[in-house]
């Protein structure tokens, strides 16, 4: 991931310095953060970068970046990013925004729909701010404590509440500056009264995604966005609040992938030969990625696992975000689920639902080959992350492995999840 600065010039505002990260390759994605700052989309950017070029700008004024006094509205910020896209020479851009970032994405979609040389061809609004609806008000975050913000923002607030006493002076200053910039752009209402009437002018495909547990910006706003934008559809994510990219990254990524695949991008058939695929693990347990989800709109990932004789697998663990399957292609594998052990001969299928502890091993004198499936494909990236750690020379300690597992809803355990 590279960090860059670019100065764009906007009529009526002048030069604006934009800091952004740029990672991955493929279709360009402009990923716009909300009031929680760029850290709230950083890990999700890494997920998207598996098959896209992901550009994450820092809204001027956030994270200590400069903001010209004239840059004082979401519409003006949208103009900045429209110009940044052109200055970078990008085409066929998908803009994805969360919260105020979703509001910016909506403004970009309106602006790009009005020009002949469209650079933005699709947009995803994730729990977007921007609408003023009678009966579904948005609270003034400047009047809320961190605990209150967490209660309104998350399906599981206890996992994301920040104790202000644990913050450093630098972190408190950064949070204060972020809230100040957010107030300038969105005001206390976090809305533009004219936006709802301008949405019907959007002519590019739009997906609206909402966390069902969002109490910061109620789902009524998502329904209003989807109703006003021609052809837009609304996808609800059950176990997520205002920031699905943090609480349900797999579901959000799958929704985006399905939308992108149905928005005119033709998928090609994938044929992976016996010597092809990415080798993510080597040694007594060898893992070859056969399908990373790019062909299946991230609904399915597939790997081949070859296990040497008398080799143990990983410690027991459980997943919360995906199902996992194991088909025994050759040999006899041993599966352990909690305190139960199963012998799986060639031709056996073992399916592991979310929350079930499990591991595998080869206790025989012959090699074992397993076909490993992930639905959705999220966990494929876990193996790629491990491979990246090894090739970068980092120590692959048990704690380091647990940290990577946690990114993908996985934890060591010998017990079923509650």
């Amino acid at each position: 991931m590279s960090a860059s600065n670019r100065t764009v010039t906007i009529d009526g505002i002048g030069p604006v310095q934009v800091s952004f990260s740029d990672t991955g390759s493929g279709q360009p994605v402009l990923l716009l953060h909300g009031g929680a700052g760029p850290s709230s989309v950083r890990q999700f950017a890494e997920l998207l970068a598996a098959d896209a070029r992901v550009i994450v700008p820092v809204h001027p004024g956030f994270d200590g970046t400069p903001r010209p006094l004239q840059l004082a509205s979401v519409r003006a910020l949208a103009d900045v990013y429209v110009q940044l896209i052109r200055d970078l020479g990008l085409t066929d851009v998908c803009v994805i925004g969360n919260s105020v970032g979703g509001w910016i994405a909506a403004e970009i979609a309106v602006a790009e729909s009005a020009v002949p040389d469209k650079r933005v061809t699709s947009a995803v609004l994730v729990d977007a701010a921007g609408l003023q609806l009678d009966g579904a008000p948005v609270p003034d975050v400047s009047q809320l404590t961190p605990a209150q913000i967490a209660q309104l923002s998350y399906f599981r607030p206890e996992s994301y509440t920040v104790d202000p006493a644990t913050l450093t002076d630098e972190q408190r200053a950064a949070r204060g500056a972020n809230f100040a910039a957010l107030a300038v752009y969105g005001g206390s209402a976090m809305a533009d009264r004219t936006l709802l009437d301008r949405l019907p002018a959007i002519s590019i495909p739009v997906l609206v995604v909402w966390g069902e547990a969002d109490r910061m910006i109620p789902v009524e706003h998502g329904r209003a966005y989807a109703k006003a934008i021609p052809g837009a559809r609304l996808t609800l994510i059950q176990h997520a609040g205002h920031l699905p990219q943090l609480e349900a990254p797999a579901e959000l990524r799958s929704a985006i992938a399905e939308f992108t695949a149905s928005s005119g991008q033709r998928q090609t058939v994938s044929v992976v030969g016996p010597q092809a695929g990415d080798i993510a693990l080597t040694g007594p347990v060898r893992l070859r990625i056969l399908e990373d989800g790019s062909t299946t709109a991230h609904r399915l990932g597939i790997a081949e696992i070859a296990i040497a004789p008398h080799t143990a697998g990983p410690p027991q663990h459980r997943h919360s975000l995906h199902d996992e399957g194991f088909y025994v292609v050759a040999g006899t594998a041993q599966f352990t689920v909690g305190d139960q052990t199963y012998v799986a001969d060639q031709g056996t299928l073992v399916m592991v639902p979310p929350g079930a502890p499990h591991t595998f091993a080869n206790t025989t004198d012959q090699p074992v080959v397993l076909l490993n499936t992930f639905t959705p494909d999220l966990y494929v990236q876990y193996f790629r992350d491990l491979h990246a750690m090894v090739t970068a020379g980092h120590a692959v300690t048990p704690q380091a492995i647990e940290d990577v597992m946690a990114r993908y809803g996985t934890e060591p355990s010998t017990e079923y999840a509650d």
Side-chain angles (χ1 to χ4, degrees), residues 40-270:
S40 66
V41 298
R42 196 160 288 138
Q43 287 193 356
F44 192 64
E46 294 176 2
L47 288 182
L48 295 178
D51 51 14
R53 178 185 176 186
V54 185
I55 297 167
V56 183
V58 179
H59 305 327
F62 279 75
D63 280 12
T65 57
R67 179 188 63 82
L69 291 178
Q70 299 91 332
L71 184 62
S73 71
V74 166
R75 292 181 74 172
L77 196 50
D79 290 341
V80 169
Y81 294 139
V82 166
Q83 189 60 48
L84 177 66
I85 288 169
R86 281 162 171 73
D87 287 357
L88 293 176
L90 304 179
T91 58
D92 191 25
V93 179
C94 176
V95 177
I96 303 172
N98 170 239
S99 190
V100 70
W103 180 3
I104 300 166
E107 293 284 7
I108 291 174
V110 171
E112 284 289 277
S113 296
V115 297
D117 64 328
K118 293 179 179 63
R119 302 297 184 92
V120 175
T121 54
S122 60
V124 181
L125 315 183
V126 183
D127 294 77
L131 300 183
Q132 190 157 358
L133 302 180
D134 294 336
V138 175
D140 182 356
V141 294
S142 68
Q143 303 302 311
L144 302 176
T145 67
Q148 289 172 324
I149 291 174
Q151 285 294 324
L152 294 173
S153 298
Y154 296 104
F155 174 72
R156 297 182 180 88
E158 65 279 2
S159 300
Y160 296 93
T161 301
V162 176
D163 182 357
T166 64
L167 299 177
T168 65
D169 290 343
E170 183 180 3
Q171 288 172 322
R172 275 192 288 270
R175 285 170 64 92
N178 288 355
F179 278 121
L182 184 64
V184 169
Y185 288 129
S188 60
M190 289 298 293
D192 179 342
R193 285 184 175 275
T194 72
L195 179 58
L196 189 61
D197 291 335
R198 292 186 287 112
L199 294 177
I202 294 176
S203 61
I204 63 174
V206 173
L207 172 67
V208 180
V209 183
W210 229 263
E212 285 191 333
D214 190 352
R215 295 176 294 280
M216 181 65 72
I217 301 182
V219 71
E220 287 83 357
H221 289 245
R223 295 191 178 100
Y225 264 116
K227 182 178 179 180
I229 299 171
R233 67 175 186 261
L234 173 65
T235 296
L236 299 179
I237 298 182
Q238 185 176 9
H239 296 142
H242 188 57
L243 295 94
Q245 72 273 15
L246 295 181
E247 291 193 285
E251 290 92 330
L252 178 58
R253 184 189 183 200
S254 293
I256 292 171
E258 290 178 16
F259 164 70
T260 302
S262 65
S263 297
Q265 292 191 11
R266 178 176 294 175
Q267 295 290 329
T268 58
V269 173
S270 173

